[in-house]
Amino acid sequence: MAKILQKSNKQTVKKKKIIEVAIATFAEKGYSNTSTSEIAKKAGVAEGTIFKHYGTKENLLLAIMVPFLKEFFPAMADELFEELLDEERSFEEFLRSFMTNRNTFFSKNREIFQVVIKEMIYKEELRHELLPYIAEAASKRLVNVIEIFKQRGEIKDVPNESILKMLSTVMGGFFVSNFVLLNKSSVSKSEIDEVVLFILNGLGQSH
């Protein structure tokens, strides 16, 4: 993440140092347990400098996450789908593996996920900035997955756009409600199984 941010020519030396320290401290102690005063001390700047450039700790996190998501998210999505999709895996197995993988990811990055989602809900400009990147990265790869399982006869032959809406609404809503609204640290295997069954009942072919 730090390497991605260092590519930006718009960052001053002080800003780069603040970002560098913030990334390391958030990773080590967690977002909630990190104060702006601690970041300032480690970065060798006054705390007021952080407030001057970013305003709040939330905005500092977003200054880290926005370029990271824009540049790294597509590559991360490629790696994830390549890892989870193979010729032997059924649609049900793919869904369960995908949900389990994302559960582990969000559990490890829960605090950051909560802040990003909260800010996207309340800041329209942030939604406009991030959602197209996330949607493009995810939708292209999901369409490929959908087509594969359609050809195998495991998914109903309905428009891909309708399937994408269902998958993003059910899976996205599941993780946001659990990790953000209910503030859970993780979700259980049985909860994942329920979501997978729900999707299969809507999309799966009956035999």
Side-chain angles (χ1 to χ4, degrees):
M1 190 186 289
K3 288 180 181 177
I4 290 170
L5 293 163
Q6 284 169 0
K7 291 179 183 177
S8 173
N9 295 322
K10 297 178 182 178
Q11 298 280 5
T12 64
V13 174
K14 278 188 179 179
K15 279 188 175 183
K16 284 182 179 179
K17 186 62 178 177
I18 290 169
I19 292 288
E20 219 173 82
V21 169
I23 290 171
T25 313
F26 287 156
E28 179 189 353
K29 301 181 65 176
Y31 174 80
S32 298
N33 295 325
T34 300
S35 66
T36 51
S37 60
E38 181 180 6
I39 293 170
K41 185 177 179 180
K42 288 182 177 179
V45 300
E47 189 176 11
T49 303
I50 293 178
F51 293 132
K52 176 185 175 183
H53 290 306
Y54 302 102
T56 64
K57 189 171 74 166
E58 286 86 354
N59 286 341
L60 173 57
L61 175 64
L62 292 173
I64 295 169
M65 292 305 298
V66 170
F68 175 73
L69 286 171
K70 282 183 177 181
E71 185 157 341
F72 183 65
F73 189 85
M76 183 174 64
D78 273 334
E79 187 178 326
L80 173 64
F81 281 99
E82 187 177 334
E83 177 188 335
L84 296 182
L85 193 62
D86 61 54
E87 292 181 3
E88 303 299 322
R89 188 165 279 169
S90 67
F91 182 52
E92 179 177 351
E93 289 168 335
F94 170 82
L95 286 174
R96 188 168 283 107
S97 296
F98 180 84
M99 295 286 289
T100 301
N101 179 287
R102 294 299 82 190
N103 177 45
T104 301
F105 177 82
F106 290 132
S107 182
K108 289 179 179 177
N109 301 279
R110 181 171 57 95
E111 293 173 328
I112 292 174
F113 181 56
Q114 288 175 338
V115 173
V116 171
I117 293 298
K118 182 189 74 173
E119 294 299 316
M120 286 180 69
I121 289 172
Y122 291 109
K123 292 183 178 177
E124 186 177 356
E125 67 276 12
L126 188 64
R127 288 200 303 276
H128 288 318
E129 190 171 3
L130 281 183
L131 284 179
Y133 286 90
I134 296 173
E136 183 180 0
S139 63
K140 284 182 179 178
R141 291 152 184 84
L142 274 175
V143 165
N144 290 337
V145 171
I146 290 166
E147 286 296 338
I148 288 171
F149 288 115
K150 270 187 179 180
Q151 288 171 16
R152 295 184 194 174
E154 294 188 48
I155 297 181
K156 292 175 181 176
D157 189 16
V158 296
N160 289 340
E161 186 179 344
S162 299
I163 297 175
L164 279 172
K165 283 181 181 178
M166 178 184 181
L167 290 175
S168 59
T169 300
V170 173
M171 294 192 293
F174 174 77
F175 287 119
V176 169
S177 62
N178 277 288
F179 286 105
V180 181
L181 301 180
L182 299 177
N183 197 28
K184 289 185 178 180
S185 58
S186 184
V187 293
S188 67
K189 180 181 179 298
S190 62
E191 289 174 300
I192 290 175
D193 287 341
E194 287 174 2
V195 176
V196 170
L197 184 61
F198 180 80
I199 294 172
L200 290 174
N201 284 336
L203 290 176
Q205 292 279 30
S206 56
H207 296 287

